[in-house]
Amino acid sequence: MNDSLIDTYSSLAFKQRYQVLDSIRLCFKDAALEQEYTANLADNIARQVRMALALAFALYLNFAFLDYLLVPEKMLQLWGIRAVVCALFALLFWLTFQPIFKRIHQPVIFYSSMVAACGIFAMLLITDNQYSHYYYAGINLCITWTLFIVGLRFVNSLGTVAVIMFCYNLIAFYKELHLPDIISNNFFLLSNAVIGIFAGYTIEQHARWQFYQARVIKNNSSKLHRAMIAASLDAVITIDESGSTIEFNEAAEAMFGYSRDEALGQSIGALIVPDANRARHEDGFRRYSQTGEPRVLGQRLELQAKRKDKSEFPVELTLRQVDLIGRRLVTAYIRDLTAQRNAEREIAQQREVLQRNEKLASMGTLLAGVAHELNNPLTIVVGQSQLLRETEQDERVLKRAEKIANAAERCVKIVSTFLSMAREQPPKRKLVDINRVIQDVIDLLDFNLRNQQINLELALSEQLLGVMADHNQLHQVISNLVINAQQALQDRPQKIIRIVSTQVDNGEQICIKVMDSGRGIEPELRARIFEPFFTTKAVGVGTGLGLSVCNGIIQSHGGSIEYEEVPGMGACFSLCLPIANQPIANQDADQSVINSGENIHDH
C-alpha cells in the first residue's frame, strides 16, 4: 500500500474522506488501498453472508404456508420453486466455507439476491393477479435484503435492485396488471429502493472510512514503533512462541553481525546464545512456553552472548513479555558491556598502578634512608680492609682482605645506585663488557655458591661487542637473577646454574640467559612475575621487588627481559640489550671467554 497517501491524511478530518474515497464509484482512489480493503472485506463478510442466507432460507420455507392458504391448486408448483430456491441457498451457504469464497464473495452474494428474486418472479408468473400483491411484498423484502443484510457492495447492490425492478415491471406488463396498481407498486418499490440506496451508501462509506482510519492509526503506530526501535542504541530482538526471531533492529545488526534478513525466522538460541549455554537456554524457553512461568522476565541479567563470527562478549539482557490477541511474544533488550568491562578493567589497572607507585615511592624513601645509613659502616669496612692490606704480611690474609675490599667497594656502588634510583638520577652509562660483568658477579657470589654445592656452568661467547650501560646496574640485575636461581635450588637434588651470553638478531643485540635446574614458575603466574611486590617465595623471604627493578633497569637501557622455557631446566630468564658496535679493548682472553659447558665448580 502507498504509505505516502496514509501519511498525507493522517489528521483524519471528516472532510478528508472525500479526498480519499471516490464518491461516485464509492471506492478508494488508491488502488493498493482498495485491494487491501477488498481482501479485508472478504475476511469479515463470510459470517454475515451465512446469516443472510440462513434468514432467506427460513423465510422462503415459512412463506410456503401462504401458498397453501392462497392458491392451494398451484401449491405444488410453488413449493417446487421454493424447493429449488432453498436448495440453491443451501449450496451457496456451503460455498461460504470454501477458500474460493474469498475471491468470489461478491458474485456469490449477487447470485444469492438474483436467486431470491427469480423465485419470486416465477411465483408471480404462476399465480393469478388477484394474489400477486402478496408476492409483490416479497419483491420489497428481497430489495431490503439485498441493500441492508446480505453484504453486497453498494455499486453491486444498486445494479441488483435495478435488475429486480426492471424484471418486475416486465412481468407486471406481461400479466396486464392494472396501470394504477403498477404505478402504486413502483412507487413503493422505488421508495424502498431509494431509502435502501441511501442507507447502503452511508453504511459502506462509513465502513470504508473506519477501515481507512484504522489503517492510518496502525500505519502511524507501526512507523512510530519502528522508528523507536531503530533509534535505540540497545539491540532489540523479538521472538514468537517457537523462539523464532520476528524483529531485529539496526543496533542488533551492528552488535551481532547479522543482517535483519538473515536473522528473521532464525532460532534465537542458534543466533546469539553461546554453544556452552545453548542446552540451558532451550530448557528454560521450553519451560516458559509450557507453563508461562516468567522466571527471568523483567530482570537485568549479565551473561555472555555470541556474534556471527562465534566470538563471545558480555551483555546486559532484559526480557519483556508482549501479549497480543492469540499470541505471546518476548522482546529482549540487549546492551553490549564490552566497553564497560574494558573501562572497569582499565580503572582497576590504573588503581593497581597507582597503589604500586605509592608503594614504590614509599620504598624509594625508605631505600634512600637505608642507603644513607649504610654509607657510614661501609666507609669503615673499606677503610679497615685498606689498612689491613697495608699492614698485613700474610699472603692468605692479604687475599681475604682484597676480597673484603672489593665486596665493600661493590656495596658502596650498590648503595650509590640505590640513592640514584631513589633520587631518580639518570644512570651513568659507558661502554661495558657483559662477560666482565658476569665474571664480577661470579666472583662476588662464589663463596655462597660453593657452600650450597651449586654447579655453575658458563657458556660465554667470545669477542662480544660492548653495550652502552651502567656497569653497576647491570651487575645488580645479573646478581639478582643468580641469587633467585640460588634460592630456587635449596631443596633440589641436582643443583645447576647455567649462564649463557651470545649475540642475536644478526649481531644487533647481546642476550644473556640465566637458568637453573629448579622447579620453574607455574604458567598461570608467569604473566605477573615482573609486577612490583609480587613474589612466589615464602613469606619473609622476598619482597617482590627484585624482578620488577631488573625489568625497569633493562627497559631503561632499551632492552628487554623475558621468562623462557628451556627443555631439561627450570626457570630461565633471558635479557637482551642493544650492542654499541664498539669492541672491548684490553681484555684478557681468560676473562672474556669461558668455553661452553665448562664447570667452574664441580662438587
Side-chain angles (χ1 to χ4, degrees):
M1 176 187 170
N2 188 353
D3 287 341
S4 62
L5 179 67
I6 291 295
D7 290 340
T8 303
Y9 306 113
S10 58
S11 60
L12 306 181
F14 180 81
K15 63 180 181 180
Q16 290 176 341
R17 69 173 61 192
Y18 299 107
Q19 296 174 301
V20 177
L21 292 170
D22 186 331
S23 302
I24 298 176
R25 295 186 298 135
L26 196 58
C27 63
F28 289 108
K29 295 179 179 180
D30 182 80
L33 186 58
E34 177 65 24
Q35 185 177 2
E36 185 174 353
Y37 173 79
T38 304
N40 182 73
L41 181 63
D43 291 333
N44 299 329
I45 204 174
R47 183 177 180 183
Q48 180 180 345
V49 174
R50 292 182 196 123
M51 292 178 62
L53 288 171
L55 177 61
F57 186 92
L59 289 176
Y60 253 84
L61 286 181
N62 288 336
F63 284 118
F65 183 68
L66 184 64
D67 301 334
Y68 169 74
L69 293 177
L70 297 177
V71 283
E73 70 278 5
K74 296 184 178 180
M75 181 181 64
L76 292 179
Q77 295 176 348
L78 297 174
W79 282 11
I81 294 172
R82 293 185 186 277
V84 172
V85 171
C86 287
L88 291 174
F89 281 157
L91 177 63
L92 294 170
F93 185 85
W94 171 81
L95 193 59
T96 61
F97 290 95
Q98 305 310 310
I100 195 175
F101 177 75
K102 289 186 176 182
R103 299 198 301 271
I104 62 171
H105 58 89
Q106 287 300 304
V108 168
I109 300 171
F110 171 77
Y111 290 133
S112 300
S113 298
M114 295 311 299
V115 165
C118 288
I120 298 174
F121 294 152
M123 294 179 196
L124 281 172
L125 291 171
I126 291 174
T127 57
D128 296 330
N129 288 345
Q130 59 179 332
Y131 302 115
S132 63
H133 61 281
Y134 292 106
Y135 296 99
Y136 157 78
I139 297 296
N140 267 307
L141 187 61
C142 184
I143 291 174
T144 303
W145 184 71
T146 299
L147 291 171
F148 289 97
I149 301 175
V150 76
L152 198 60
R153 283 189 56 195
F154 169 72
V155 175
N156 297 334
S157 298
L158 195 62
T160 304
V161 171
V163 171
I164 291 174
M165 290 189 63
F166 177 76
C167 291
Y168 168 75
N169 281 281
L170 286 179
I171 294 172
F173 281 105
Y174 172 76
K175 294 189 67 176
E176 298 180 350
L177 290 177
H178 299 295
L179 186 59
D181 289 338
I182 295 176
I183 294 174
S184 175
N185 289 344
N186 275 283
F187 174 77
F188 285 107
L189 285 175
L190 284 173
S191 299
N192 187 24
V194 169
I195 294 172
I197 287 169
F198 278 104
Y201 184 92
T202 303
I203 290 171
E204 183 172 350
Q205 186 191 58
H206 181 68
R208 285 176 173 271
W209 183 242
Q210 281 190 320
F211 170 80
Y212 176 75
Q213 287 179 314
R215 185 65 181 85
V216 169
I217 294 172
K218 180 180 178 181
N219 182 73
N220 289 344
S221 176
S222 177
K223 279 191 172 182
L224 178 61
H225 175 72
R226 289 197 300 268
M228 292 175 63
I229 289 179
S232 174
L233 297 179
D234 295 338
V236 179
I237 303 175
T238 300
I239 61 175
D240 60 15
E241 299 89 338
S242 65
S244 299
T245 305
I246 62 174
E247 182 56 62
F248 201 80
N249 74 336
E250 294 179 5
E253 291 180 310
M255 185 178 299
F256 293 100
Y258 296 96
S259 68
R260 189 171 187 273
D261 292 338
E262 288 178 315
L264 294 184
Q266 297 294 322
S267 168
I268 191 66
L271 208 61
I272 68 171
V273 178
D275 296 340
N277 302 334
R278 184 83 52 79
R280 194 170 76 176
H281 161 78
E282 292 177 352
D283 290 342
F285 189 80
R286 190 182 304 111
R287 182 181 60 252
Y288 168 72
S289 300
Q290 294 172 354
T291 65
E293 182 181 354
R295 290 190 178 181
V296 297
L297 293 181
Q299 301 181 24
R300 292 183 181 272
L301 307 175
E302 293 188 7
L303 39 80
Q304 292 292 112
K306 179 187 68 175
R307 297 187 181 92
K308 183 179 180 180
D309 61 4
K310 306 299 182 182
S311 62
E312 297 184 12
F313 63 104
V315 298
E316 180 184 79
L317 170 69
T318 304
L319 298 176
R320 297 288 183 184
Q321 181 173 303
V322 181
D323 293 319
L324 302 179
I325 298 176
R327 301 188 73 184
R328 183 176 61 189
L329 309 179
V330 176
T331 297
Y333 301 88
I334 305 173
R335 178 171 299 174
D336 189 348
L337 297 181
T338 302
Q340 180 178 332
R341 291 287 182 268
N342 291 339
E344 291 174 355
R345 192 179 301 111
E346 185 176 351
I347 291 173
Q349 291 175 349
Q350 290 176 352
R351 185 182 298 113
E352 186 176 348
V353 169
L354 180 61
Q355 293 174 350
R356 187 186 307 158
N357 290 340
E358 290 177 351
K359 289 182 180 179
L360 288 175
S362 300
M363 184 63 69
T365 303
L366 177 63
L367 193 61
V370 172
H372 184 270
E373 294 298 325
L374 283 176
N375 264 334
N376 293 332
L378 281 176
T379 301
I380 297 174
V381 172
V382 171
Q384 291 296 323
S385 63
Q386 183 66 28
L387 181 62
L388 189 60
R389 283 191 298 177
E390 293 177 355
T391 58
E392 185 60 46
Q393 300 298 323
D394 189 341
E395 190 66 26
R396 293 180 59 191
V397 175
L398 287 175
K399 287 183 178 180
R400 292 189 178 277
E402 183 71 23
K403 288 187 176 183
I404 293 173
N406 291 337
E409 290 176 0
R410 174 66 191 141
C411 289
V412 171
K413 292 178 181 179
I414 292 175
V415 168
S416 176
T417 301
F418 284 169
L419 285 172
S420 298
M421 292 172 59
R423 296 168 183 168
E424 298 184 355
Q425 294 178 353
K428 298 178 181 179
R429 298 182 183 178
K430 59 182 180 180
L431 195 62
V432 174
D433 179 5
I434 289 294
N435 287 343
R436 180 71 263 175
V437 176
I438 295 173
Q439 192 61 55
D440 289 344
V441 171
I442 298 306
D443 292 342
L444 180 64
L445 301 179
D446 177 68
F447 181 76
N448 289 336
L449 296 177
R450 286 179 177 274
N451 283 344
Q452 295 187 19
Q453 299 181 343
I454 295 175
N455 293 333
L456 183 63
E457 298 178 355
L458 299 182
L460 308 182
S461 178
E462 299 180 2
Q463 297 179 350
L464 289 179
L465 296 177
V467 296
M468 294 301 297
D470 186 302
H471 183 280
N472 294 328
Q473 288 187 347
L474 290 187
H475 191 285
Q476 180 182 349
V477 170
I478 297 174
S479 298
N480 190 285
L481 295 178
V482 173
I483 291 173
N484 285 348
Q486 173 190 340
Q487 293 175 345
L489 297 175
Q490 290 182 358
D491 57 349
R492 303 295 292 173
Q494 185 180 20
K495 301 180 179 182
I496 299 174
I497 295 178
R498 182 179 302 158
I499 304 176
V500 179
S501 68
T502 183
Q503 290 187 185
V504 296
D505 293 340
N506 296 323
E508 296 295 327
Q509 287 187 321
I510 291 178
C511 183
I512 303 98
K513 295 186 178 182
V514 179
M515 60 193 84
D516 59 66
S517 59
R519 293 188 178 88
I521 300 175
E522 299 296 331
E524 60 270 16
L525 300 178
R526 293 172 187 173
R528 301 189 60 194
I529 56 177
F530 295 108
E531 295 180 6
F533 304 102
F534 177 80
T535 180
T536 59
K537 300 175 183 177
V539 178
V541 177
T543 62
L545 287 172
L547 289 178
S548 175
V549 172
C550 291
N551 186 41
I553 291 174
I554 296 301
Q555 287 186 354
S556 69
H557 283 75
S560 63
I561 180 170
E562 297 176 351
Y563 180 88
E564 294 183 358
E565 288 192 39
V566 177
M569 302 298 289
C572 175
F573 288 90
S574 174
L575 59 93
C576 296
L577 294 167
I579 63 173
N581 290 322
Q582 297 183 30
I584 305 299
N586 301 323
Q587 297 293 332
D588 296 333
D590 58 344
Q591 288 182 339
S592 59
V593 180
I594 304 177
N595 292 331
S596 175
E598 178 185 356
N599 285 341
I600 302 299
H601 304 302
D602 188 8
H603 300 290

